[in-house]
Amino acid sequence: MSKRIIVIGSGAAGLTAASTARRVDPEASITVVTEDEHIAYSPCVIPWVLEGVGGWDSIVMHSPAFYKDERGIDVMIQTKVTGVDDERKVLVTEGGELPYDSLVIATGGTVFVPPIPGKDLPGVFSVRTINDGKRIQEWMGEVDSVSIVGAGVIGLEMALAMRHMGKKVSVIEMFPQVVPRILDADLAEMVQSYLEGQGVEFVMGAPIASVDGDGKVEAVTVGGRRIDCGMVIMATGVRANLEVPRMLELDIGELGAVRASPSMQPYRKGRLVRNVYMAGDVVMCESGVVPGPTMSQLGSSAVRQGIVAGTNAAGGSAMHPGVVSPWVSVIGDMQVAGTGLSKGLAEYYGIDVVEGVAQGYTRARYYPGGKKLVVKVLVERSSHRMVGAQIVSGEEATGRINWLTAAIVTGTTVEDFATYFENAYCPPTSMVRDVALNAADRAAEKL
Ligand SMILES: Cc1cc2nc3c(=O)[nH]c(=O)nc-3n(C[C@H](O)[C@H](O)[C@H](O)COP(=O)(O)OP(=O)(O)OC[C@H]3O[C@@H](n4cnc5c(N)ncnc54)[C@H](O)[C@@H]3O)c2cc1C
């Protein structure tokens, strides 16, 4: 009999695991079970759809029929998993029982909404799925001011989308800087002042106290101040969705997500669970920079983990290395990117870092259209190893942050980066010596 593989979740992690399992085992019976109505789309594009780039239909890449016809994968949409019997190897759904030989859990995360008065008032939204996007779109047509709670990258992308739609926008952030935790304060200040220039108001260093209104949102209260608004978007972070892992009594790690081995298998009471694999926002994994666990919560990480989980679920052999988690965000004309540790994270892990910052342009100084480029590198003082980098730029941040990530992943010292990592050059694409190398020089001079 062919192997029966069930994947729970149709996000980036789940669908990647299912498609990978198909490549590894052409004979397996593969079923994806998902609560979602829409599958195979990237939630990352929701802010742009809200400001009019494309439509909801155009961001859905494949239908369940595509998976059935092209990949021989059954996708059961709008089907909630309500139980798992690990002894009998049976998944319980609202529609009945499904037997499995291998199970992949890719149940993602849910937006954490602070438990404040008024959080359930009509007009309060979070952003995670296409249906969230559609609900926001419907409501925003009726209002002229929006409060965004949380100044992480999703909150900032949403803030600018709302500005582009002509709304008055306030962003409320309990930390004193935007993009807390993963971006250093000096670069965060550049991002905030760019957005202020676009008309976004910030209320920093104060948590939201309440959402106020009679029957629907009329205002928010923060730091004793009332800000009138017609809607509130909670961009307050993501928590692993642990409903299914709890059914299997899997070990939950210190970061509030399922602990997974490099084979992407979970543990129960410290022992590896056979025939169960994990991927995506529901897991914590090993950091590729420091010993210990981290949360990646990125679509790109979900895909990498899905490949490992799907391979192993189908009987292949793959290992997930630690994550460095490069990220990039486009906020209007500004690109912001980071990789590895920020100064705050380095401090959290007890790593003494030296920074090097350089400024220049994305093209040769004389070539028209060049944009300002700021690169920071963070280097461990004792080993000279590069442990983090950040970029604020007008263009081309992705290629540079990937290049810096390669240096971090390979444990390269800052001196070796500056010496051996050559850059390609053409006047419309970079300066003759790239600004990232100058940032490395600045750090090396301090060591
Ligand atoms: C607005 C926004 C912008 C983003 N931008 C970026 C970006 O630019 N770059 C980047 O790398 N990442 C970005 N991300 C993060 C990225 O989208 C997530 O990390 C990624 O989608 C996680 O994928 P996942 O498969 O783990 O989880 P999800 O996509 O959350 O999928 C979870 C799946 O599990 C299913 N499920 C859960 N419980 C059950 C159950 N009991 N029964 C059945 N099904 C269940 C759900 O229905 C869903 O299909 C963004 C996220 C958002 C919301």
Side-chain angles (χ1 to χ4, degrees):
M1 197 174 78
S2 59
K3 188 169 193 165
R4 294 162 304 184
I5 302 169
I6 296 188
V7 177
I8 310 174
S10 62
L15 289 177
T16 302
S19 297
T20 305
R22 166 57 68 232
R23 277 198 292 280
V24 173
D25 184 347
E27 305 301 324
S29 143
I30 304 174
T31 306
V32 175
V33 182
T34 179
E35 270 186 286
D36 281 353
E37 179 186 352
H38 305 96
I39 66 161
Y41 69 91
S42 171
C44 315
V45 77
I46 290 172
W48 285 273
V49 178
L50 287 171
E51 63 173 77
V53 179
W56 300 115
D57 291 341
S58 68
I59 65 169
V60 175
M61 289 171 285
H62 299 305
S63 63
F66 167 88
Y67 279 93
K68 179 74 184 160
D69 298 343
E70 302 292 323
R71 303 199 178 156
I73 296 170
D74 290 305
V75 182
M76 298 169 63
I77 59 165
Q78 294 177 300
T79 305
K80 187 174 170 63
V81 172
T82 52
V84 189
D85 184 336
D86 197 26
E87 297 251 303
R88 289 169 52 227
K89 290 208 169 20
V90 163
L91 196 72
V92 185
T93 73
E94 289 149 336
E97 292 192 344
L98 298 168
Y100 64 83
D101 299 306
S102 281
L103 182 65
V104 179
I105 302 174
T107 48
T110 41
V111 177
F112 165 77
V113 177
I116 50 166
K119 72 177 175 54
D120 296 320
L121 273 174
V124 179
F125 300 90
S126 52
V127 45
R128 182 80 191 167
T129 64
I130 282 191
N131 284 340
D132 293 334
K134 287 181 176 174
R135 283 189 281 269
I136 290 170
Q137 194 174 47
E138 213 174 288
W139 194 278
M140 76 191 213
E142 307 297 315
V143 304
D144 54 17
S145 54
V146 182
S147 288
I148 313 268
V149 186
V153 287
I154 294 176
L156 299 185
E157 287 171 3
M158 288 296 290
L160 203 55
M162 293 294 142
R163 275 302 295 147
H164 288 162
M165 295 309 289
K167 312 296 174 198
K168 185 170 179 294
V169 178
S170 334
V171 174
I172 296 157
E173 170 56 57
M174 63 185 216
F175 289 103
Q177 66 159 80
V178 301
V179 201
R181 211 173 59 83
I182 56 173
L183 195 67
D184 290 355
D186 47 350
L187 274 72
E189 210 175 294
M190 296 174 199
V191 177
Q192 182 175 337
S193 76
Y194 168 77
L195 279 161
E196 283 167 345
Q198 304 295 307
V200 176
E201 187 204 357
F202 285 87
V203 182
M204 303 300 290
I208 183 169
S210 62
V211 180
D212 313 311
D214 187 6
K216 63 177 181 171
V217 171
E218 290 166 11
V220 292
T221 300
V222 53
R225 179 181 157 200
R226 180 184 155 102
I227 301 171
D228 290 333
C229 59
M231 78 190 281
V232 175
I233 297 174
M234 297 285 183
T236 27
V238 172
R239 300 281 188 272
N241 186 351
L242 298 175
E243 208 182 336
V244 174
R246 288 213 164 101
M247 292 172 192
L248 284 160
E249 296 177 353
L250 303 181
D251 291 352
I252 310 300
E254 60 267 47
L255 302 177
V258 178
R259 202 181 139 218
S261 68
S263 58
M264 296 313 293
Q265 284 175 270
Y267 297 85
R268 186 187 295 123
K269 296 197 175 110
R271 291 178 163 232
L272 221 55
V273 181
R274 295 185 62 194
N275 304 316
V276 179
Y277 302 87
M278 314 289 309
D281 283 4
V282 70
V283 285
M284 57 181 216
C285 50
E286 283 301 302
S287 162
V289 193
V290 284
T294 186
M295 297 286 287
S296 205
Q297 295 189 322
L298 291 167
S300 43
S301 304
V303 167
R304 289 176 88 222
Q305 294 166 355
I307 291 170
V308 175
T311 301
N312 293 334
S317 175
M319 290 287 162
H320 183 256
V323 292
V324 173
S325 301
W327 57 272
V328 61
S329 175
V330 176
I331 300 168
D333 299 326
M334 182 176 258
Q335 299 189 358
V336 196
T339 183
L341 304 180
S342 61
K343 270 166 86 174
L345 284 172
E347 197 178 327
Y348 170 80
Y349 287 113
I351 294 185
D352 184 16
V353 289
V354 167
E355 69 174 38
V357 183
Q359 292 199 18
Y361 293 92
T362 54
R363 307 177 187 191
R365 209 171 282 277
Y366 52 81
Y367 194 88
K371 310 273 170 35
K372 196 171 153 194
L373 168 63
V374 181
V375 181
K376 173 188 275 200
V377 299
L378 295 172
V379 180
E380 185 177 33
R381 191 186 295 275
S382 57
S383 66
H384 296 200
R385 172 175 78 102
M386 289 171 69
V387 294
Q390 295 160 35
I391 295 176
V392 170
S393 170
E395 60 185 1
E396 300 290 344
T398 304
R400 288 187 171 89
I401 211 70
N402 288 342
W403 188 38
L404 288 154
T405 298
I408 294 170
V409 170
T410 49
T412 304
T413 64
V414 71
E415 292 87 351
D416 281 354
F417 180 73
T419 307
Y420 297 112
F421 278 56
E422 302 169 65
N423 66 281
Y425 162 66
C426 184
T429 66
S430 76
M431 297 176 82
V432 67
R433 181 170 166 82
D434 196 83
V435 180
L437 294 169
N438 296 340
D441 289 340
R442 296 296 89 76
E445 283 158 15
K446 294 186 191 166
L447 287 164

